[in-house]
Structures are given as C-alpha cells and as structure tokens.
C-alpha cells in the first residue's frame, strides 16, 4: 500500500471517531504510518505523517496572555487560541501582544515568525472585529484570570505573509472560535449537559487586478455534546444505575471561493467576515436540520417508552379478557357468526 492510500485509510478512521478523541487517535495513526510502525519505505512514512497532521483538525485549546488586560472590565489577562498556525516549537504567539509564550513564560527565540508591520496592523483590526462577532453569535463568555468554568467563548485571528512578503501580493490567515459549554444541570437534577463548538476558518487571499481579491476559504466545524439524563421512574435519583448518557459529536467541512471588490486593505476584513458569517450560518443550519434532527428521529423510532408499553399491554389484556368472556357467556359477535356460517357451509 502506497503512502497516499495509507493516509486515506487513516482519514477514514479519524472521521468515524469522536472529536474529543481526535488528537489521541491521530497520534496512534501517525505511529502506524511511520516507518517503524507502518512498514513504510524511505521517506514515505514521514511525508504521510506530515500530510495527516495537515489534513486533520483537532479540538482547539486556549491559554491566557497575562501581559494584557481585558478591554471591558480591566481584568488581567486575555485568552487566545492555540493552534499550529501560531506555533513555534513549544511556544504559541498571542494575537494581543504579538509575543510567544510557552508554559507561561515569553519565548526567547528571536527567529520566531511574526507578521510584517503592515500585516500586523491588519491582524489587530481583524482580532477586534472578530471578537465582536464572537460576542454576538457565541456570547460574551469569561476570558480572563480567575474566571469560573462555565459558558466560555474565545476567538483569535492569525495572519501571515506569503513568500513575496508584500501585502499587495496577498496573505493567508486563520480565524478561530472556541465555544465551551460548561456542565449545566436542570432544576430538578434529572438532566445535565456539556460540550463544545469549534470553528476553524483558513483563508488564502490573492489580490487581483482591477481592485478585486480572490478569497479561498476552508471551514471546519467540530461539535461535541454530552447529555446525562435520569429515568423518570427513578425516585429523585436514588439509584445511579438508571443514569442514561447520550453523546453526539462530529465535524463538517466546507470549502468556498469568492471574488470580491477590495478598494483598500481594510476591505479584506469586511469581505472575509461576510464570507465566514454566511458559511457558519449554512453549516449551523445543516447540522441542526440534517444531523441533529435525523438523529432525534432515529432515536425516537427505536425508543421504548415503558409507560406507553405498559398501557398497550393493559389494553391487549383487556381485549383478550373481553373476547374470552363473550365466548363463555355464549354470546357471539357478527364476525363470529359469519365464521360459524362459513364453517357449516364447508362441512355441507
């Protein structure tokens, strides 16, 4: 089996595993693809592993940049998202301070990648705009030191120059959103839920003649829901054995290309933001109408309600008893009379 076939097989496996286990399963697949684990030949194993890491999106993680303060309440620290797009070794660049941090300390590497001054200004603008977008669609979750675990949302934008280095030739970037739903318990204590939503948008911008630009966007949405319920027959959760757990998780990917007017550099942010908003609305609608509703329909079709089942059994027993009583009392229905007449006719 060649390297491409191995990568396709690994991708098929990872697409059928829960999103929260993607990183662990991806590392296991990487071992199989490597020369030692997968029996590759030459550099085929290493190239296959590299391609696998590039094509798989893992659940997003976040950290806190302690060198800045939150703009709203002045609290110390602002959260930012960790990804391969702002990583240099074991350190990650913060979009707020433009510095690299690892294990809470600034990176001492002077050769770490940073965008050009002109692109950095565009990145700062994009982060402020995208942070407002996050608040409107995902809520203004806590994102500072000392915030409690709960309903939290974080956004980050990272831009980088292309080989030419000039902003006129275009640039690339990623727009990330991480929404975490902390564990919420119903008032009666019979239901609790938790989960997360990750949006990963990678965009490639190419400036064209005539004041236009071409935007190539690749979007991946990761969703995970964990719901714990307790049987209605369980008296105030006296027995933990009646606890029911449902998990729903998966990912959707969409790619789109658009050519938009771009009279100035700041127009890139408006154009990209509009495309991201349209794609997210479409994916959110598809996920709700096609996947979640279909899952609910399938589960309801195989679900057995004990109360309804007992009611049907009682009705069945009542009908059987009524039919038996009619026979014992010597009374017959119209159907029974017709059957008796048919039997008598056949005997003649």
């Amino acid at each position: 089996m060649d390297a491409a076939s191995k990568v396709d097989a690994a991708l098929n496996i990872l697409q059928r595993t829960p999103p929260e286990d993607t990183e662990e399963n991806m590392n296991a697949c990487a071992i199989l693809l490597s020369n030692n684990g997968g029996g590759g030949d030459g550099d085929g194993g290493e190239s296959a592993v590299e391609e696998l890491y590039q094509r798989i999106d893992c659940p997003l993680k976040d950290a806190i940049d302690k060198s800045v303060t939150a703009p709203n309440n002045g609290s110390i620290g602002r959260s930012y998202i960790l990804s391969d797009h702002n990583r240099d070794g074991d350190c990650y660049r913060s979009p707020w301070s433009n510095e690299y941090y690892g294990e809470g300390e600034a990176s001492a590497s002077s050769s770490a990648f940073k965008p050009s001054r002109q692109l950095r200004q565009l990145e700062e603008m994009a982060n402020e705009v995208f942070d407002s977008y996050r608040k409107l669609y995902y809520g203004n979750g806590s994102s500072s030191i000392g915030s409690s675990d709960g309903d939290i949302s974080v956004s980050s934008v990272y831009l980088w120059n292309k080989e030419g280095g000039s902003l006129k030739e275009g640039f690339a970037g990623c727009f990330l959103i991480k929404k975490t739903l902390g564990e919420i318990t119903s008032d009666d204590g019979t239901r609790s839920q938790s989960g997360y939503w990750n949006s990963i948008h990678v965009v490639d911008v190419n400036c064209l003649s005539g004041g236009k630009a071409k935007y190539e966007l690749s979007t991946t949405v990761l969703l995970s829901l964990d719901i714990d319920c307790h049987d209605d027959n369980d008296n105030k959760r006296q027995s933990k054995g009646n606890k029911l757990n449902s998990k729903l998780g998966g990912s959707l990917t969409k790619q789109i290309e658009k050519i938009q007017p771009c009279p100035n550099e700041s127009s890139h942010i408006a154009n990209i933001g509009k495309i991201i908003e349209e794609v997210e609305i479409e994916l959110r609608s598809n996920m709700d109408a096609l996947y979640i509703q279909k899952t609910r329909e399938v589960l309801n079709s195989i679900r057995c309600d004990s109360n309804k089942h007992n009611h049907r059994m009682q009705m069945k027993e009542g009908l059987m008893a009524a039919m038996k009583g009619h026979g014992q009392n010597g009374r017959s229905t119209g159907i029974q009379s017709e059957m008796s007449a048919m039997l008598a006719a056949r005997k003649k």
Side-chain angles (χ1 to χ4, degrees):
M1 182 182 294
D2 58 359
S5 300
K6 292 181 181 180
V7 173
D8 291 339
L11 291 173
N12 289 333
I13 294 175
L14 294 175
Q15 289 175 354
R16 290 164 173 79
T17 58
E20 60 270 19
D21 299 333
T22 298
E23 187 173 0
E24 180 181 357
N25 294 333
M26 183 174 61
N27 293 332
C29 290
I31 295 176
L32 296 176
L33 289 175
S34 63
N35 291 333
N36 294 333
D41 50 347
D43 297 332
E46 295 181 1
S47 61
V49 171
E50 183 178 355
E51 182 180 357
L52 178 66
Y53 280 121
Q54 291 177 352
R55 296 177 61 178
I56 290 296
D57 293 307
C58 294
L60 300 174
K61 300 178 181 179
D62 62 279
I64 296 179
D65 185 351
K66 301 179 183 179
S67 64
V68 296
T69 57
N72 297 331
N73 52 19
S75 57
I76 299 176
R78 294 189 70 176
S79 294
Y80 64 99
I81 296 178
L82 311 180
S83 73
D84 291 336
H85 303 289
N86 65 323
R87 178 179 177 180
D88 184 82
D90 295 331
C91 300
Y92 296 86
R93 183 171 66 91
S94 167
W96 311 118
S97 62
N98 201 29
E99 298 293 338
Y100 281 86
Y101 297 93
E103 300 296 333
E105 299 295 335
S107 172
S109 175
S110 59
S111 61
F113 167 81
K114 290 184 180 181
S116 63
R117 181 182 60 84
Q118 193 176 13
L119 187 60
R120 171 58 184 167
Q121 294 176 354
L122 194 64
E123 184 184 69
E124 291 176 346
M125 183 189 304
N127 273 285
E128 295 300 331
V129 172
F130 208 56
D131 190 56
S132 300
Y133 172 85
R134 170 191 64 84
K135 295 176 183 178
L136 291 173
Y137 278 94
Y138 298 93
N140 187 17
S142 302
S143 59
S144 59
I145 296 178
S147 61
S148 59
D149 294 335
D151 193 2
I152 299 175
S153 60
V154 183
S155 67
S156 294
V157 178
Y158 303 104
L159 305 180
W160 57 90
N161 299 90
K162 292 188 175 181
E163 295 182 359
S166 174
L167 191 58
K168 296 181 179 180
E169 299 179 2
F171 61 92
C174 66
F175 294 69
L176 310 172
I177 288 182
K178 177 187 177 185
K179 170 73 173 184
T180 302
L181 179 65
E183 184 172 351
I184 301 176
T185 305
S186 59
D187 296 336
D188 57 0
T190 60
R191 177 187 176 97
S192 63
Q193 59 184 15
S194 60
Y196 64 83
W197 170 290
N198 291 169
S199 296
I200 305 172
H201 308 276
V202 180
V203 61
D204 183 77
V205 181
N206 294 299
C207 297
L208 306 176
S209 59
K212 295 185 178 181
K214 181 180 179 181
Y215 303 92
E216 301 179 37
L217 179 70
S218 177
T219 296
T220 300
V221 171
L222 305 177
L223 174 67
S224 177
L225 294 176
D226 193 352
I227 302 175
D228 292 332
C229 300
H230 294 266
D231 194 349
D232 295 337
N233 295 328
D234 186 10
N235 187 13
K236 298 299 181 179
R237 302 176 65 182
Q238 290 181 359
S239 173
K240 295 183 179 179
N242 291 335
K243 184 176 180 180
L244 306 176
N245 178 263
S246 298
K247 288 187 177 182
L248 176 64
S251 63
L252 285 177
T253 301
K254 182 177 179 62
Q255 296 178 345
I256 188 173
E257 294 184 7
K258 280 192 175 184
I259 297 178
Q260 300 284 356
C262 185
N264 50 60
E265 295 174 354
S266 60
S267 300
H268 289 303
I269 305 303
N271 292 337
I272 296 174
K274 183 179 180 180
I275 298 174
I276 288 177
E277 184 178 21
E278 293 175 353
V279 171
E280 282 203 344
I281 291 176
E282 180 181 354
L283 290 178
R284 194 180 298 115
S285 300
N286 291 341
M287 187 173 292
D288 179 51
L290 298 179
Y291 296 91
I292 296 180
Q293 295 297 337
K294 186 63 177 180
T295 301
R296 182 183 292 126
E297 179 182 347
V298 172
L299 291 177
N300 288 338
S301 64
I302 63 176
R303 179 173 177 265
C304 180
D305 192 327
S306 58
N307 294 330
K308 292 182 179 179
H309 178 70
N310 294 334
H311 181 65
R312 287 195 296 267
M313 291 299 296
Q314 292 175 0
M315 291 181 61
K316 182 178 179 180
E317 292 175 358
L319 290 173
M320 294 295 293
M323 292 177 63
K324 185 176 181 180
H326 279 298
Q328 291 176 350
N329 294 332
R331 291 174 293 179
S332 61
T333 63
I335 297 178
Q336 290 175 334
S337 299
E338 292 180 3
M339 293 180 64
S340 300
M342 290 175 62
L343 292 173
R346 293 183 64 180
K347 287 181 180 180
K348 292 181 180 179

